[in-house]
Amino acid sequence: MSDASPLVIVGTGLAGYNLAKEFRKLDSSRSLLLITADDGRFYSKPLLSTGFAKGKEADELAMQDAATMAAQLDAEILVQTRVDAIDPATRSLMVGERRMQYSDLVLATGALARQLPGAEALGEHVLSINDLTDYARFRRALVSKRSVAIIGAGLIGSEFANDLAAAGLDVQVIAPDRTLMAGLIPTQVAEPVRASLEDLGVGFHLSKGIQQMDLTDAGVCITLEDGTRVEAEQALSAIGLVPNRGLAEAAGLEVAKGISVDRQLRTSAEHIYALGDCAEVASLSLMYVMPLMTCARALAKTLTGNPTEISYSAMPIMVKTPACPLVVSPPLTATEGEWTVTGEGSDQRALFHDSQGVLHGYALTGAAVREKLQLNRELPGWLV
Ligand code: FAD
C-alpha cells in the first residue's frame, strides 16, 4: 500500500455522499473512490415515507445520478459493486476476486431491514422499503392494488401508514406493541397520532403477534394470535432496521450493535473509519440524518489531517405523520427518569426529567409542537 492509494468510501447513502462532499471542501487533490452495491443515485432517504401521497416515482426522488455525483466530487464511483471483504493488515479490500488498495477506508454501509420470519414464502407480496430500489419495487407491486397491511408500528411503520392512507389506500397496521412508536414516546402522546390516522381510515391491530401468513388469490392473509384474519392485497414489513456491520465483523473489527467507533469515528483497525447507520459512535447508535451530518463534517477534518472529535447536541426528530404533527427528542436509552404528560386532545406535551429535574427529552403533538425551540434550548447535549 502507498499513500497514493485512494481514500475509499464504501456506501453512497447520505453518510457516504455527505462525507465525500465535506471532504472535497477541504481537499481537492487526493484521489477518492466510492464503492456502492446500489446504483449510486443521490437521494434523501426520509422522502421514501412521504412519496406515495405526493405520487412520486422513484426516479423523481433521485436528485443526481452516479455519473453526475462523480463529476461533482471529482471521484471515481463504482456502482452495483459489492465489497466482499476487507483486509486491514494489507490495507486492501476485495470485490469478487479483485483486490483494491486504500490509504484510508470509510465504512458507510447503512442499515438493513430486519427480516420478517416467514416472509420469504410470500415473495413480492411482503416487501420492505429501505432504499430507492425498494421504493420503486413497492410502487410496482402496488399497481392496481387498493389495500396494504403494514407490519410494524414504529416510527417508519407509522409514517408509511399516514403516507399510504393519504394516497388513498386502505391501510391496516399490525404490531405486537400496545401503542404506536412504543419505546419512543409515551402512550398518551401516541394516542392522538393513532386517532388522527384512524380518521384517515387506517385500521389498527395492536397488542397482537402474527401466528401465520398465507398467500391468497387476492394477496395475503395474516392470521393473528387471537385468530383475527387480516386480508390485504399487499403487505409492507416495517419491523426495524439493524446496522449493517457484517463486513466489519468479518474483518475482525470490534462491533457492538453497530461498528464500534470512537469520537473520531475510528474503528478498532488503523485507517478504517465508520459513520452513518452502520456505526455505533461512543456507544450511541443513532440512525438519523442529523447525527450522520455531524459525523461527516468532523470526519472530513480528521481525514485531512485535523483530528476532530464529534459532539452531539440533542437532535429532535420531526415524525412525518402530517395527520398529527409530532416532534420527539428521545432521552438517551441509558438515561433514568420519567415522563410527565400534560395536554388535551391532539395537543400533548410529554417531558422526560431525571431525578434532579433536568430535562432529557420531550415528545410534542399538535399545537404543542410550537414549544420545541424553547425546549431544545433546555436539553443537555448527547455527546459533549
Ligand atoms: P444507507 O442510505 O442505507 O446507505 C448505505 C450504502 O451502503 C448504500 O449505498 C449501499 O448500497 C451501501 N453498501 C452496503 N453494503 C455494501 C457493500 N458490502 N459493498 C458496497 N456497498 C455497500 N432519519 C431522519 O433523521 N429523519 C427522517 O425523517 C427519516 N425518515 C426515514 C424514513 C425511512 C423510510 C427510512 C428507511 C429512514 C429514515 N430516516 C430518517 C433514517 C435516515 O434516512 C438514515 O439514518 C440515513 O439515510 C442513513 O444513511 P446511510 O448512508 O448511513 O445508509
Side-chain angles (χ1 to χ4, degrees), residues 263-265 297-299 301-302 306-310:
R263 289 181 65 168
Q264 285 183 32
L265 307 176
R297 285 189 290 272
L299 185 52
K301 289 183 191 158
T302 297
N306 176 14
T308 301
E309 297 210 329
I310 59 143

Side-chain angles (χ1 to χ4, degrees), residues 11-15 36-38 45 83 108 110 244 277 287-289 320:
T12 56
L14 288 173
T36 179
D38 60 31
K45 192 180 282 198
V83 173
N244 185 2
D277 282 4
M287 295 200 275
Y288 301 110
V289 176
K320 300 185 294 299

Side-chain angles (χ1 to χ4, degrees), residues 265-276:
L265 307 176
R266 296 179 295 196
T267 67
S268 57
E270 260 196 291
H271 298 286
I272 306 182
Y273 302 81
L275 83 166

